[in-house]
Amino acid sequence: MAENCTRKLIVEICNAKNLMPKDGQGTASAYAIVDFDGQRRRTKTKFRDLNPVWDEKLEFLVHDIESMAAEMLEINLYNDKKMGKRSTFLGKVKLAGSVFVKAGEETLVYYPLEKRSVFSQIKGEIGVKVFYVDEEAPPAPAEPAAEQKAETAEEKPKEEEDKKEENVEEKKEEEEKPKEEPPKEEEKPNPPPAEASKSEDTTAAATPPPPPPEVENPPIAHKEEASSTKVVATKSKAETGKSSQLVINELELRSLSGDHNLVKAKRANKEPACPLHAKLVIGTHSIKTKSQIDKDWDQVFAFDKEGLNSSSLEVSVWAEEEKKEEQKEGDAAATAATVVVDNCLGAVSFDLQEVPKRVPPDSPLAPQWYSLESEKSPGNDVMVSVWVGTQADEAFQEAWQSDSGGLIPETRAKVYLSPKLWYLRLTVIQTQDLQLGSGSEPKVRSPELYVKAQLGAQLFKTSRTPVGLAWNEDLVFVAAEPFEPFLVVMVEDWSNGQLVGQAKIHVPSLERRTDDKTEPKSRWFNLVGAENKPYAGRIHVRACLEGGYHVLDEAAHVTSDVQAAAKQLAKPLIGLLDVGIRGASNLLPVKTKDGTRGTTDAYVVAKYGQKWIRTRTILDRFNPRWNEQYTWDVYDPCTVLTIGVFDNGRYKRDEAGKPGRDLRIGKIRVRLSTLDTNKVYLNSYMLTVLLPNGAKKMGEIEIAVRFSCSSWLSLIQAYGTPLLPRMHYLRPLGPAQQDILRQTAMRIVTARLARSEPPLGQEVVQFMLDTDTHVWSMRKSKANWFRVVGCLSHAAILARWLHGIRTWAHPPTTILVHVLLIAVVMCPQLVLSTIFMYAFLILALRFRYRMRVTHNVDLRLSYVDAVGPDELDEEFDGLPTTRSPDTVRFRYDRLRALASRAQSLLGDVAAQGERLEALFNWKDPRATGIFVVVCLFASLLFYVVPFKVFVLGSGFYYIRHPRFRGDMPSAPLNFFRRLPSLSDQIM
């Protein structure tokens, strides 16, 4: 945002609906007062109208653009006192600045009117549009021409005098310079932050680097801090003759032993300028900077402390000098060849045990001069600063990192954002003036037409309809920002398969709506046919972008975001989610290195809401340590955090230059509703991956999770609000349509993230989003069946308990049930209170036995241990199948056997309901007659016998002693089983 720009907030008060009458005559004369940032505006009064329409725009000046999101816009409705005794309050609405949008993205949103106090009688809603406009500030007014001429006339002699003085000073400075000093070099455009002022002394005062930026991802609850060795490399100008100066900038790694900051280097001898580079040797690591001539490197290097096998760091400076060598070829004349030789100017060593430590927010360590030890070229100096740091240091993100392969983009930590998704609704109404067929083709008497619409790779079509009839069908697409330029609508003739005409609709200019209270305007579009048909008719459609829905791009049971697409409907923030990814242990090798040994290059991907994070890739480690922390905003507690671990195969390319694929190591999920607020959970979770040969444990991951919430009231209120936005309940999408749109959204997100730099692999995104949840799996079917059985097991336990009471398996318990039955019959008003009191006591006692560790993937519940290899192979088989015909035939027969049992179960359930219908429809006249007589006698019996006596007698009869009970089924049960069903009518 430019400094000379001003921002104006536009509040358009459109209308209000169903206001509360306040004037004593059944109406209200409403006006609105809007307050924002200390400014107040007022609309006109609409007299005697409970549904007033204002359509007024009120402008406010935004004083501080950066803090606009924290401001509140308040709209108050009042009844005009001219039409009543006093100005009566009609309701208010408060809007946070975070929901304000740019001009062009605004939509009409209806907000329910809120009460000012508990006893206020308020109803209705108000429709407003809120957006902001950025305008350039007007230029300063031009001064009169006469004054400008006078000022310029006065300024000219002053400028000439200043120039003369500057020339005199420059001559004096040139005379004072020694004759041997070379001409001054050009000033560097971007000097390093730690570059010191140039001096001829052996020591120079270094200017302090800028303050460190805010640490974005400090680790959570670290037991041991990771240290790092930082090295900053820059090269300076010569001091005498062409003396070189080397600067090694700050650099840090996750676990480094010391930080080394080499700032300047001096050469004592006077030689022509030549390329210089610095070389760092620590343990088995040997790295050098870029070769530069009279320029600084400004490079940062970091060395992992755990990977070091040395206690010293050596920094050396090398000059790349050219030498000519004579070469003789037989009797030919000698030729001179130029050879580049590296000449060492000296080296300096540092003991890592004596290196100081530096932890932010400490300022960077000031560099110092050190003498380079060399027998050939003594007198050279270097300015270096070395310290032990952590990943929280400001230079770590841009540093060369020893455990991540240096500066490879595919191994760096990145943050990705999913594209913002909208539903695009196209309503096809009708067509007119269609030019069907051509003169050479025979005309069909009643041709049938259908409309086909395409947005990117999405293609949907309507049903077939004769010419002249309307469709009135909705086609719903998934649109991602930035939108595809056009939605193509085509009309085709089903009888001959030819295209009648097509029209293009500009998607970014479509109307955006947030609810179903206002229908978008319909439009006519001309259809363009073939080249010889510039006009083939016209089509009547209605198109809009639905901002009131949340576009699901994940499986419904593990969703992490339930926000509506429109920014105006954003939910309030209820808390923050902090995730610390510490490390992994005991990872198994997933690939081979150099064809000799196994290795793993692990990194972590976490997804919550629209934000994806990717940690650094730790190369060739089975126990990697990342120690990275990330934060997400939480708008709903009933959401899920997904964390996956992968092996990086993209940083290396094959012979054809194509990157490899990232391999799965494991995945865990954390449901936020199972976490206690403001508590850190530090646990290790097992990583398990499902392979065609079975489940395999790949290791463990250690993470720290904290869900912080500042307001308990907002958190409790979230449990009473709908999970999805309002439009999902007013105009719900069908299950089949919702599943198609979810798969489409997954493909769009996968394609967009794969086009990032560095890309997030398609296999990674699909694994995180669970794109294969809709695929048939025998294992998942068995798991779901046993989940149903587990839910019904509680009813089975109750049935067994009642059976034990009936059979007097434990006589004292049966006697207590008799007493309880008498108490219930005599005091029925205590039944509900007793039940809820028991529930309260049971749940309160179970609180101490609650789960104190967040849940992870359950292998037993997933049914991975009791599944056969053929069933797993079927699950990994794609569509269409690639297996042999014999294998497919065997699986089909197995599926038929399973479906036959489900078929019999469905038939038995249907038969019970049909018997009950047969009893009331006289399908069996004798059975229905018996039932009629029983009903007559029962009505007379219940008229005479009190209800309490009936309940008590029925209870005693049900739990009577086995001595008074027979072994055969009861008469009512036998009667019901004899009723007819429709099973005998099935062919």
Side-chain angles (χ1 to χ4, degrees):
M1 183 66 64
E3 296 181 356
N4 59 345
C5 288
T6 59
R7 176 171 292 182
K8 290 184 178 180
L9 181 68
I10 311 298
V11 181
E12 183 177 351
I13 308 296
C14 298
N15 59 353
K17 295 182 179 180
N18 303 323
L19 297 180
M20 178 70 73
K22 292 288 186 176
D23 61 353
Q25 301 178 4
T27 60
S29 300
Y31 66 92
I33 294 180
V34 185
D35 296 298
F36 176 76
D37 197 11
Q39 308 167 59
R40 173 169 290 186
R41 303 288 186 271
R42 183 186 187 278
T43 66
K44 298 179 181 178
T45 302
K46 297 298 179 181
F47 296 101
R48 300 184 181 279
D49 192 354
L50 296 178
N51 299 284
V53 178
W54 290 281
D55 289 333
E56 296 186 26
K57 291 185 178 181
L58 308 178
E59 293 187 1
F60 298 88
L61 181 63
V62 180
H63 297 102
D64 190 356
I65 298 178
E66 295 181 355
S67 63
M68 185 185 72
E71 297 289 342
M72 293 295 296
L73 174 69
E74 184 172 352
I75 304 174
N76 292 273
L77 289 184
Y78 293 95
N79 179 56
D80 199 331
K81 63 181 180 180
K82 296 181 182 179
M83 304 303 296
K85 297 182 180 180
R86 58 189 177 89
S87 296
T88 311
F89 181 70
L90 294 176
K92 67 176 182 178
V93 171
K94 286 186 177 181
L95 302 178
S98 58
V99 302
F100 301 162
V101 297
K102 296 181 180 180
E105 299 181 2
E106 72 277 3
T107 57
L108 178 61
V109 183
Y110 286 89
Y111 298 97
L113 295 174
E114 302 176 0
K115 296 182 179 181
R116 185 164 53 183
S117 63
V118 179
F119 303 100
S120 300
Q121 296 182 357
I122 302 300
K123 71 172 185 178
E125 54 190 4
I126 183 173
V128 297
K129 294 181 181 179
V130 184
F131 58 95
Y132 59 86
V133 180
D134 293 325
E135 299 177 350
E136 293 186 0
E143 297 181 357
E147 296 180 1
Q148 289 184 358
K149 292 181 179 179
E151 291 179 359
T152 54
E154 295 176 359
E155 290 174 0
K156 285 183 178 179
K158 293 181 180 179
E159 293 177 359
E160 294 176 358
E161 293 177 2
D162 294 338
K163 290 182 179 179
K164 292 180 180 179
E165 293 177 359
E166 291 176 0
N167 294 334
V168 173
E169 292 177 358
E170 290 177 0
K171 292 180 179 179
K172 292 180 179 180
E173 291 177 359
E174 291 177 358
E175 293 175 359
E176 293 175 359
K177 292 182 181 179
K179 296 181 181 179
E180 296 178 354
E181 184 176 353
K184 189 176 181 180
E185 296 181 3
E186 294 181 1
E187 189 175 351
K188 291 177 288 185
N190 294 319
E195 182 176 359
S197 60
K198 297 178 173 56
S199 173
E200 295 180 358
D201 300 334
T202 57
T203 59
T207 58
E214 295 183 4
V215 179
E216 185 177 2
N217 298 320
I220 294 181
H222 289 269
K223 294 183 179 178
E224 51 183 52
E225 292 185 352
S227 57
S228 61
T229 301
K230 302 177 189 168
V231 182
V232 179
T234 55
K235 191 172 69 173
S236 68
K237 298 181 292 184
E239 179 196 17
T240 58
K242 278 291 180 179
S243 63
S244 61
Q245 185 181 36
L246 182 75
V247 182
I248 298 186
N249 290 338
E250 310 171 332
L251 168 129
E252 66 180 6
L253 258 188
R254 174 183 56 80
S255 299
L256 300 183
S257 92
D259 292 344
H260 188 115
N261 186 0
L262 181 56
V263 181
K264 295 182 180 180
K266 298 180 182 178
R267 295 185 61 180
N269 57 350
K270 303 174 183 179
E271 297 181 357
C274 59
L276 297 178
H277 69 267
K279 186 176 181 180
L280 291 82
V281 178
I282 179 170
T284 58
H285 300 283
S286 178
I287 306 97
K288 69 176 184 178
T289 63
K290 298 178 181 179
S291 298
Q292 301 285 359
I293 299 178
D294 300 334
K295 291 184 180 180
D296 298 333
W297 285 284
D298 197 14
Q299 291 179 253
V300 182
F301 302 89
F303 302 90
D304 185 10
K305 183 178 181 180
E306 297 179 359
L308 299 180
N309 53 4
S310 175
S311 60
S312 63
L313 167 69
E314 180 180 343
V315 180
S316 57
V317 181
W318 298 74
E320 299 178 2
E321 300 176 352
E322 295 182 356
K323 291 185 178 181
K324 294 184 178 180
E325 295 183 357
E326 295 184 356
Q327 297 180 356
K328 295 183 178 180
E329 298 179 359
D331 297 335
T335 59
T338 302
V339 180
V340 178
V341 179
D342 290 342
N343 182 21
C344 181
L345 303 181
V348 60
S349 298
F350 299 89
D351 188 358
L352 298 182
Q353 302 296 330
E354 300 179 358
V355 172
K357 294 184 179 180
R358 182 245 173 182
V359 179
D362 295 348
S363 299
L365 189 66
Q368 299 179 6
W369 284 104
Y370 294 89
S371 299
L372 295 175
E373 299 177 359
S374 178
E375 297 179 356
K376 296 182 179 180
S377 57
N380 297 324
D381 298 329
V382 63
M383 181 175 282
V384 181
S385 63
V386 184
W387 70 90
V388 176
T390 65
Q391 288 182 215
D393 287 346
E394 59 275 4
F396 179 71
Q397 294 298 329
E398 302 299 330
W400 183 98
Q401 302 169 5
S402 63
D403 58 350
S404 296
L407 295 173
I408 303 176
E410 288 79 6
T411 62
R412 314 292 288 194
K414 289 292 181 181
V415 177
Y416 302 86
L417 290 177
S418 297
K420 189 175 182 180
L421 303 177
W422 295 70
Y423 283 143
L424 191 154
R425 186 186 297 272
L426 174 67
T427 304
V428 182
I429 303 175
Q430 62 179 350
T431 56
Q432 285 185 358
D433 302 335
L434 295 180
Q435 308 294 325
L436 299 176
S438 60
S440 59
E441 297 179 356
K443 294 184 179 180
V444 183
R445 292 186 177 180
S446 57
E448 291 185 347
L449 306 177
Y450 66 91
V451 177
K452 185 167 60 176
Q454 183 175 5
L455 179 66
Q458 307 173 59
L459 184 64
F460 296 101
K461 62 181 181 179
T462 64
S463 58
R464 301 194 303 267
T465 303
V467 178
L469 298 181
W471 285 277
N472 290 321
E473 294 185 23
D474 289 343
L475 303 178
V476 182
F477 302 83
V478 178
E481 294 184 357
F483 299 115
E484 295 283 345
F486 294 103
L487 169 67
V488 182
V489 181
M490 296 167 283
V491 180
E492 295 187 1
D493 189 351
W494 180 80
S495 58
N496 54 18
Q498 292 185 355
L499 177 66
V500 178
Q502 66 178 12
K504 292 184 178 181
I505 302 175
H506 192 237
V507 176
S509 61
L510 289 178
E511 180 182 353
R512 306 182 184 189
R513 70 171 184 173
T514 58
D515 50 34
D516 63 338
K517 297 180 180 179
T518 56
E519 286 289 340
K521 297 179 181 179
S522 59
R523 296 177 58 188
W524 288 93
F525 291 92
N526 292 335
L527 296 174
V528 179
E531 297 180 356
N532 55 353
K533 282 188 178 181
Y535 176 77
R538 60 178 188 164
I539 185 171
H540 190 199
V541 297
R542 182 186 296 113
C544 68
L545 292 170
E546 296 281 5
Y549 290 91
H550 167 68
V551 182
L552 292 172
D553 58 349
E554 304 171 276
H557 58 281
V558 292
T559 183
S560 62
D561 184 17
V562 292
Q563 291 277 66
K567 187 178 179 180
Q568 296 89 335
L569 301 180
K571 292 184 178 181
L573 183 69
I574 64 172
L576 295 176
L577 175 64
D578 297 321
V579 179
I581 303 173
R582 304 196 62 183
S585 60
N586 302 324
L587 296 181
L588 296 181
V590 297
K591 58 186 178 184
T592 58
K593 184 177 182 180
D594 301 330
T596 57
R597 63 183 181 88
T599 183
T600 299
D601 305 326
Y603 70 93
V604 179
V605 175
K607 196 265 182 188
Y608 184 81
Q610 288 188 328
K611 181 179 176 181
W612 298 64
I613 66 95
R614 170 179 175 168
T615 64
R616 298 182 302 118
T617 300
I618 306 299
L619 302 180
D620 198 14
R621 296 281 179 87
F622 297 127
N623 298 283
R625 305 296 296 178
W626 292 285
N627 291 327
E628 300 182 16
Q629 178 184 345
Y630 299 91
T631 304
W632 285 269
D633 294 334
V634 179
Y635 298 93
D636 195 289
C638 300
T639 46
V640 178
L641 167 71
T642 304
I643 300 176
V645 184
F646 302 89
D647 175 79
N648 195 334
R650 290 182 171 269
Y651 76 97
K652 289 185 178 180
R653 299 180 180 272
D654 56 11
E655 297 178 355
K658 296 182 179 179
R661 291 177 59 87
D662 295 345
L663 302 178
R664 306 174 181 179
I665 296 180
K667 178 173 59 177
I668 65 172
R669 297 190 184 98
V670 179
R671 186 171 290 274
L672 270 61
S673 59
T674 62
L675 303 178
D676 294 338
T677 56
N678 304 320
K679 177 182 177 181
V680 177
Y681 290 84
L682 179 59
N683 300 300
S684 295
Y685 300 90
M686 181 63 65
L687 295 173
T688 307
V689 63
L690 187 63
L691 302 174
N693 55 358
K696 188 176 182 180
K697 296 181 179 179
M698 304 296 294
E700 294 183 352
I701 182 174
E702 183 183 4
I703 63 171
V705 181
R706 179 179 62 200
F707 174 39
S708 57
C709 179
S710 59
S711 175
W712 269 89
L713 181 61
S714 60
L715 184 61
I716 295 174
Q717 288 177 347
Y719 279 88
T721 58
L723 182 63
L724 296 174
R726 189 167 176 263
M727 285 292 287
H728 284 271
Y729 307 98
L730 297 180
R731 298 187 64 177
L733 302 172
Q737 185 182 27
Q738 186 70 66
D739 187 64
I740 294 174
L741 294 176
R742 182 187 294 113
Q743 296 298 324
T744 303
M746 288 179 179
R747 288 193 294 269
I748 292 176
V749 172
T750 301
R752 290 291 180 90
L753 294 180
R755 286 158 47 188
S756 305
E757 187 59 37
L760 195 60
Q762 178 181 0
E763 61 279 4
V764 175
V765 180
Q766 291 178 351
F767 183 62
M768 296 290 291
L769 295 180
D770 285 337
T771 57
D772 57 349
T773 53
H774 65 290
V775 179
W776 158 257
S777 170
M778 181 68 74
R779 176 187 61 84
K780 293 181 181 179
S781 300
K782 291 181 179 179
N784 292 336
W785 167 257
F786 285 108
R787 287 171 59 193
V788 174
V789 172
C791 293
L792 297 178
S793 62
H794 301 289
I797 293 173
L798 179 61
R800 286 195 297 267
W801 181 78
L802 291 176
H803 181 71
I805 297 298
R806 287 187 62 205
T807 57
W808 291 67
H810 191 249
T813 305
T814 306
I815 294 174
L816 289 178
V817 171
H818 282 77
V819 176
L820 180 62
L821 178 61
I822 296 173
V824 169
V825 172
M826 300 304 296
C827 302
Q829 67 276 9
L830 299 178
V831 174
L832 294 179
S833 61
T834 304
I835 292 175
F836 286 109
M837 179 56 68
Y838 283 166
F840 168 76
L841 294 175
I842 293 173
L843 294 176
L845 291 175
R846 288 186 176 183
F847 177 76
R848 58 184 300 182
Y849 303 107
R850 70 190 188 278
M851 293 289 296
R852 300 184 183 274
V853 180
T854 54
H855 299 276
N856 193 12
V857 177
D858 192 342
L859 300 181
R860 183 178 179 183
L861 183 63
S862 303
Y863 212 75
V864 296
D865 297 332
V867 67
D870 184 71
E871 295 177 356
L872 283 175
D873 183 72
E874 181 183 11
E875 183 174 347
F876 281 89
D877 188 14
L879 292 176
T881 181
T882 57
R883 302 300 184 261
S884 62
D886 293 338
T887 303
V888 175
R889 185 182 300 108
F890 170 75
R891 293 173 180 174
Y892 177 67
D893 293 339
R894 182 180 59 194
L895 183 61
R896 289 175 61 187
L898 180 63
S900 64
R901 282 188 270 174
Q903 170 184 303
S904 302
L905 179 61
L906 293 176
D908 294 340
V909 173
Q912 309 307 319
E914 292 168 355
R915 284 173 180 150
L916 190 61
E917 291 182 359
L919 182 63
F920 289 93
N921 293 334
W922 292 86
K923 289 189 176 181
D924 187 346
R926 284 177 294 274
T928 305
I930 294 172
F931 182 69
V932 169
V933 174
V934 172
C935 290
L936 177 61
F937 281 101
S939 64
L940 298 176
L941 179 64
F942 290 131
Y943 181 76
V944 177
V945 179
F947 182 73
K948 292 183 179 181
V949 176
F950 168 74
V951 174
L952 191 62
S954 301
F956 284 165
Y957 178 78
Y958 179 76
I959 59 177
R960 67 191 183 276
H961 197 274
R963 182 179 300 177
F964 305 105
R965 183 184 297 112
D967 297 333
M968 304 302 292
S970 61
L973 185 59
N974 293 331
F975 177 81
F976 182 77
R977 288 177 177 176
R978 291 178 177 273
L979 294 174
S981 65
L982 300 180
S983 300
D984 54 347
Q985 300 181 20
I986 299 295
M987 181 179 293

